[in-house]
Amino acid sequence: MTKTGGTDQQKTDVKVSLIGGHRLEGETLHERTLTVSLVGGADVDLTGIEIPDGAELRITKLSLIGGVSLKVRPDVVVAVHGIRLGGVKDEGPSEPGGPTVRIDAWGLLGGVDVTRG
């Protein structure tokens, strides 16, 4: 995760495709990421980065069809927001205070699947 300084504005990564999803690795992401596709999901692996306690990494997914597959460390809190037909599968911690990844998933079909490892 690329961290910006205290007075700098947060950078936003933007990924766009018509058909096909996006594969995102943690080392290349900033604090905010927007991924947009007509048909296709987002495969996000954040296990290789250190997110400081109290920090929030935000990923916004917009698509008609396609969900989010997120892989994080066991101590990361995942907060899922948005509107989509599809559930959320996450059995991780829910207490605030640690590092947080916020997923805003907006779409017609597609759920959010969180894997911890």
Side-chain angles (χ1 to χ4, degrees), residues 1 12 14 49 58 62 69 83 102 105 114:
M1 179 169 97
T12 300
V14 178
I49 64 167
R58 188 174 195 161
L62 302 172
S69 175
I83 297 174
R102 178 183 167 128
V114 180

Side-chain angles (χ1 to χ4, degrees), residues 5-89:
T7 59
D8 295 335
Q9 291 184 341
Q10 291 181 339
K11 294 184 179 181
T12 300
D13 293 318
V14 178
K15 312 287 184 188
V16 179
S17 69
L18 290 177
I19 298 175
H22 298 107
R23 182 174 201 77
L24 307 171
E25 300 286 333
E27 296 85 14
T28 61
L29 297 179
H30 290 94
E31 289 87 1
R32 294 180 292 174
T33 299
L34 170 64
T35 174
V36 180
S37 61
L38 187 59
V39 177
D43 185 12
V44 184
D45 185 352
L46 301 177
T47 56
I49 64 167
E50 288 293 324
I51 304 170
D53 282 350
E56 180 179 274
L57 182 65
R58 188 174 195 161
I59 299 170
T60 303
K61 172 70 173 108
L62 302 172
S63 66
L64 286 178
I65 300 172
V68 177
S69 175
L70 176 66
K71 188 171 183 181
V72 294
R73 293 187 333 262
D75 63 327
V76 174
V77 175
V78 177
V80 179
H81 304 275
I83 297 174
R84 75 234 156 262
L85 295 176
V88 176
K89 181 182 171 194

